[in-house]
Amino acid sequence: MSIDKDTAARVAKLARIKVEDDALPALAQEFNTILGFIEQLNEVDVEGVEPMTSVTPMRLKRREDVVTDGNQQEKVLANAPDAREGFFAVPKVVE
């Protein structure tokens, strides 16, 4: 797969990145380099390789799944632009 100048411009627009017209060929080349590397990775035989989260075997820390109120209502509401009666106050959006 090859990325041309028009496709690079479309990707930049979708990503909302302003790219000047004279920089589009370089961006397209960078995309092609990345895609070439991905194609190389697809050639690697990973049959029988277990997925892992780290290069060293380890278990993720776990905590008991208990529902709590957090006991931080004042701290959370301190960040709110408008809080009333212990809740976030928001403008009415439905008439």
Side-chain angles (χ1 to χ4, degrees), residues 8-28:
R10 184 164 184 260
V11 170
K13 181 180 178 185
L14 290 172
R16 297 180 185 213
I17 300 171
K18 182 177 181 182
V19 179
E20 300 297 330
D21 287 339
D22 58 337
L24 285 174
L27 181 62

Side-chain angles (χ1 to χ4, degrees), residues 42-53:
N42 284 334
E43 295 173 4
V44 175
D45 180 22
V46 293
E47 188 68 35
V49 177
E50 294 289 326
M52 58 185 190
T53 58

